[in-house]
Amino acid sequence: MNIVVGVTGGIAAYKTVHLVRLLTKAGHDVTVVPTEDALRFVGTPTWEALSRHPVTTSVHDDVARVRHVALGQNADLVVVAPATANTIAKITAGIADDLLGTTLLATEAPVLLAPAMHAEMWRNAATQANIATLADRGVHFVGPADGELAGGDSGPGRMVEPEDIAAAATALLAPRDLDGLRVAVSAGGTREPIDPVRFLGNRSSGRQGVALAAEAAARGASVTVVAANVSADVLADVRHPSVDVVPVGTAAELAAAMTEAARTADIVLMAAAVADYRPASASDQKLTKEQGPLTRIELVENEDVVAGLAANRADGSALDGQVIVAFAAETLPDAEDRRDRARRKRERKGVDLLAVNLADAEHGFERHDNAVEIIGPGGEVVASAAGSKREVARAIVDAARAMR
Ligand code: CTP
């Protein structure tokens, strides 16, 4: 994709160096358009070396190719980072006295601003009014964060980290191929109470489920996330106007919430680690050693939620209707053994796709990266993906989308 990165005159420009690297590494064609002031912080050679494109601030260079409008017209996205209070005011007023100004006026691509300024300037009524006007016009914002500012002050106004700006940019570039679809996702791990303070649980953090929800929402879907014991920290990644979060604790609560969410869902992504067994009865008082040693807990089997959803599918057909994806974390070290187990599991559960990953000390649970193979209806591996949980989510959503 063609991305224009506008850089304006703030000290956070040094962080934009890393943003340009992240975007070019992700395969985008990046053109950097600094303002004159920005060049006081980071110079032309740095931008040219990183983007591999000539860099100018002036509308009078490369006039033959009408550069002052061509850049904006050809862009798939324009990011301005840092966006100073002055630049935000100029964009609001439509002032085009340099190449960045003309590019922003000429573009019909999404525009993403990463504000950076002192807290007082951010809070100023003029800045807030400009932000509101731009948001009304559909301009997107990422940040600012609360934190340490130049000169030792602190407060809102700090530019968010390059990784966050890159993620926001990637979300804006995502295809809107799930527009109008509803997606139900389960995330996290259930906890089955033993007594008021103890439970049987598992190590699932909910990160993969949350990444699936974020990916589906970025692509236009309305998403319900049934979140089993997912920390607020992990859930922060899925704050999005078209995502609803339903917190649950036990497998039975998850079953009820997923059954409700799946009723209207086009795609069901069952990423939660659901306890197969629960204590036959939970004590309503804390168990103590005074009652004598505890040597056994009687367990009863939980219903298989995803198998139930697959069996009750309204139309019974995978191809025209709802697509259901189950997940399996397997510890078998041999990949072909894992695939075989996954094939049997997919059939037993009656789901369309099963994403299988290796779960051992280095892979899977509680980690930021993941690697999965997706088993299709014929037992074949329809896709595989390795990388961040978001990258893995993309492949899983692609496979589910392709089935519809
Ligand atoms: N699952 C479910 N309900 C359960 C247990 C699991 O819906 N009670 C779903 C999980 O959300 C996941 C898949 O089934 O999508 C994982 O199944 P797994 O626990 O690996 O399979 P089991 O049927 O428990 O098989 P086994 O214990 O033999 O591995």
Side-chain angles (χ1 to χ4, degrees), residues 20 30 40 43 54 86 88-89 106 172 177 182 185 189 197-198 234 239 244-245 252 298 375 398:
V20 171
V30 177
R40 292 167 174 260
N86 181 51
I88 289 172
L172 288 173
D177 58 349
R182 304 185 65 88
V185 186
V197 298
R198 303 183 178 93
V234 172
R239 255 186 256 134
D244 263 345
V245 177
E298 196 182 318
I375 308 289
D398 282 346

Side-chain angles (χ1 to χ4, degrees), residues 186 270-276 302-307 325-330 341 345 348-349:
S186 70
M270 192 66 186
V274 185
D276 287 327
N302 283 328
E303 66 172 292
D304 189 321
V305 183
V306 77
V325 186
F327 292 73
E330 303 291 354
R341 264 182 65 80
K345 199 169 276 188
R348 192 170 71 234
K349 292 180 185 271

